[in-house]
Amino acid sequence: MDQQQQRIGIMGGTFDPIHIGHLVTAETVRLAFNLDKVIFVPAGLPPNKQSASITSIRHRYIMTVMATYSNPYFFVSSIEMDRPGPSYTIDTIREFCALYGRKTEFFFITGSDAVTDLPTWKEVDSLLTICQFVVAARPGCSIAVDKAINYFDGMQRQRIHRFATKELEISSTDIRERVKKGFSIKYIVPESVENYILKEGLYANSK
Ligand code: NAP
């Protein structure tokens, strides 16, 4: 089968929980980079985190599906839910390359704090060859992010795009704290996600 030339955003994150900051960022990046679709990939086990400190992937996956279903350009993949061990981004992008073919261009979208240790990510040179990065950052400079990006030379650096977004004032950490304290999270997460969190009793006893 002849595979089409596509531009696909891969929205990688822990999404514990997903919130409107993630959704607005993904939609804004989709339009700015002329992407055909954005695939949300909840991290099974983020390589930088202890499994005990995060909510089960099943809950995070379900909330991500609920949050994205109304946007026809948004999709959710269970690729990292199904793969055991740490969720290395290189393994994920390679799986997508095999699925979509060589003509597809991939853009890995993630938060700025997540890339401060990008130079140490597994097979980072290969990763920057097979996909570009869109680093969603609050306006203003972050020395740690600049340092991580400047680690790479000209050609590789050109494949890392900073994307200023105000919506990331919202954070998953803040939402977990609010639930724990019994504060409202209305309008910070989609209604379906709010209802799911309350029904399942998520974050009520979070650390
Ligand atoms: P994180 O440290 O939890 O997040 C850092 C910051 O970025 C937080 O402020 C977070 O906000 C924000 N953020 C995370 N994902 C975002 C997204 N897609 N769009 C906008 N903001 C986002 O990061 P993480 O979730 O563990 O890791 C992010 C991605 O990088 C995951 O897919 C992970 O697997 C991958 N990663 C790969 C490697 C590797 O391959 N070696 C190493 C580290 C991370 P919220 O808390 O509000 O989300």
Side-chain angles (χ1 to χ4, degrees):
M1 189 177 70
D2 188 25
Q3 282 161 323
Q4 285 180 333
Q5 187 163 4
Q6 289 194 77
R7 292 165 68 84
I8 297 182
I10 304 294
M11 181 81 171
T14 308
F15 304 134
D16 192 14
I18 190 161
H19 52 68
I20 60 156
H22 298 130
L23 298 168
V24 175
T25 298
E27 180 66 358
T28 318
V29 171
R30 179 181 77 76
L31 293 167
F33 286 80
N34 198 20
L35 304 179
D36 295 289
K37 60 170 94 165
V38 177
I39 305 174
F40 286 67
V41 183
L45 176 56
N48 49 343
K49 291 183 180 153
Q50 300 290 320
S51 62
S53 67
I54 54 175
T55 306
S56 91
I57 178 65
R58 189 179 67 86
H59 285 313
R60 292 183 289 113
Y61 176 81
I62 291 170
M63 289 189 283
T64 306
V65 170
M66 287 175 158
T68 53
Y69 86 100
S70 64
N71 186 324
Y73 297 100
F74 286 178
F75 298 83
V76 185
S77 168
S78 62
I79 212 164
E80 294 191 354
M81 181 158 103
D82 302 335
R83 199 174 62 225
S87 308
Y88 293 113
T89 301
I90 182 73
D91 300 334
T92 300
I93 303 291
R94 279 193 180 131
E95 281 197 52
F96 281 119
C97 286
L99 209 58
Y100 284 94
R102 286 191 303 129
K103 287 184 182 171
T104 304
E105 274 186 83
F106 290 101
F107 296 79
F108 186 73
I109 310 163
T110 197
S112 60
D113 292 346
V115 301
T116 51
D117 63 351
L118 183 60
T120 69
W121 285 23
K122 183 181 168 190
E123 296 183 52
V124 69
D125 290 336
S126 304
L127 184 58
L128 281 167
T129 305
I130 60 172
C131 79
Q132 303 190 45
F133 267 68
V134 180
V135 179
R138 293 175 190 98
C141 62
S142 158
I143 293 166
V145 176
D146 282 341
K147 202 173 158 200
I149 294 175
N150 290 337
Y151 169 87
F152 299 97
D153 69 13
M155 281 298 279
Q156 286 184 319
R157 203 183 302 163
Q158 280 173 28
R159 292 174 66 78
I160 308 173
H161 311 277
R162 270 172 171 281
F163 191 79
T165 171
K166 279 186 274 195
E167 284 70 25
L168 290 180
E169 292 300 336
I170 299 168
S171 83
S172 299
T173 307
D174 179 53
I175 292 167
R176 293 194 301 272
E177 274 295 303
R178 292 181 74 86
V179 175
K180 192 178 168 187
K181 290 177 180 162
F183 295 169
S184 170
I185 54 167
K186 206 168 267 306
Y187 311 125
I188 305 174
V189 297
E191 193 175 2
S192 53
V193 173
E194 179 196 0
N195 290 338
Y196 186 85
I197 289 171
L198 299 178
K199 181 170 81 69
E200 295 292 332
L202 303 182
Y203 312 124
N205 302 308
S206 61
K207 289 185 185 141

